Amino acid sequence: MYAELSRDALWQLSDIQQIHFRRYMMRGSALEIFFRDRTSVLLNISNKKALMQLAWKLTSLPAANHQLALSDLRPPPVLMRRLGLTERWQRGELSNFDYLMSLNTVAGRSYNDLSQYPVFPWVIRDYTSKWLDLQNPKTYRDLSRPMGALSEKRLRQFIERYESFEDPTGRIKKFHYGTHYSSAASVAYYLIRMEPFASVHISLQSGKFDHADRQFHSIADTWNSCTTSSGDVKELTPEFFYMPEFLINHNGLNLGRKQDGTRLNDVKLPPWATTPEEFIRINRQALESEHVSANLHKWIDLIFGFKQRGAEAAKAHNVFYYLTYEGAVNIDAVQDPLERASIE
């Protein structure tokens, strides 16, 4: 989706801070390297032997950061214990935002891959009031439930589909949701007013912007869609908690007009936020609130924990289409090029 860069790049080994194995296009074929200046690069290496040799070299050369080791490349649960992230968060040494970013990183989510972009929760449920009371539990979304289960009426429809679904081939397992809480399309939807996301959106829409009525134009309308529409269960991206710029059409993009004649420009904010900066400040304040701090682990269980798959996921109404799960299909074993392209 991005143009190829015909240039060399040079990094100092001593600047490397972390290295993680990554999946790319459903294959375990990549390394993500994090640097001291908080930048990172994702290297996709199709040859498995070459990938492992590079990882070993980077962690064993004398010039490398002495704290690097092959243990940094271990599975997420092992790495979580090694870094002590949960314990640090529980002691208040990590903010909710920093803990979620760490979980996303350890779980393999990356700013360098839109199909596995970092995911954050909706935390506020009130987008119509002029003032917010962050001390009132009713202000907040129920973090113990996935987005698709926040509305009882919509949830009944998802449960009915789950219980009645049967694939004659046995390949497709039962699922509640045919769309996902995070995808390249949803990331491009939220961040469309910035590059490279505008270009990604256009490439996903056959060379043009999608119809204005289907674009991100209002926080309140998007919340309503994510909690009531039969095909929309999106969560948020990290930018909702630190980057007001994504809400502003700085590039003057012609995003079109809605059917009612409204021309899309900046994102329409809820009444309790008069500027993008105020929206980010209040949303971040809500994320770090006592209420969210006491309940955030419930959402983490759904996205990163024991309610992702299996019987616990089914009980939590948290089962997605089978292709969204790691290891659901061996892409290299798919012989039909059209089928492989559709899966990728």
Side-chain angles (χ1 to χ4, degrees), residues 16 31 81 86 134 145 152 182 222 241 270 272 315 326 333:
I16 298 176
L31 276 181
R81 289 194 295 270
T86 300
L134 296 183
R145 295 184 171 210
E152 291 292 344
S182 177
T222 298
F241 301 92
W272 45 260
K315 285 195 294 185
E326 182 177 347

Side-chain angles (χ1 to χ4, degrees), residues 26 45 101 120 123 173 244:
M26 305 184 76
I45 303 170
M101 282 304 307
F120 269 60
V123 292
K173 308 301 181 185

Side-chain angles (χ1 to χ4, degrees), residues 120-147:
F120 269 60
W122 288 92
V123 292
I124 294 172
R125 59 175 296 183
D126 182 353
Y127 295 96
T128 58
S129 297
K130 188 171 183 179
W131 308 100
L132 276 189
D133 180 4
L134 296 183
Q135 303 300 317
N136 185 351
K138 294 182 179 180
T139 297
Y140 298 94
R141 164 258 184 103
D142 183 350
L143 290 165
S144 70
R145 295 184 171 210
M147 289 299 293

Side-chain angles (χ1 to χ4, degrees), residues 16-30:
I16 298 176
Q17 194 165 42
Q18 292 184 26
I19 300 173
H20 297 283
F21 281 125
R22 291 288 186 249
R23 293 178 62 81
Y24 181 74
M25 299 296 285
M26 305 184 76
R27 297 178 179 89
S29 61

Side-chain angles (χ1 to χ4, degrees), residues 275-305:
T275 65
E277 290 79 9
E278 186 174 25
F279 172 81
I280 296 297
R281 178 182 62 79
I282 294 174
N283 208 34
R284 180 66 173 267
Q285 189 176 352
L287 178 65
E288 304 297 343
S289 67
E290 289 186 12
H291 177 84
V292 171
S293 296
N295 291 278
L296 187 56
H297 65 284
K298 300 173 184 176
W299 183 83
I300 291 171
D301 286 340
L302 295 168
I303 306 302
F304 301 106

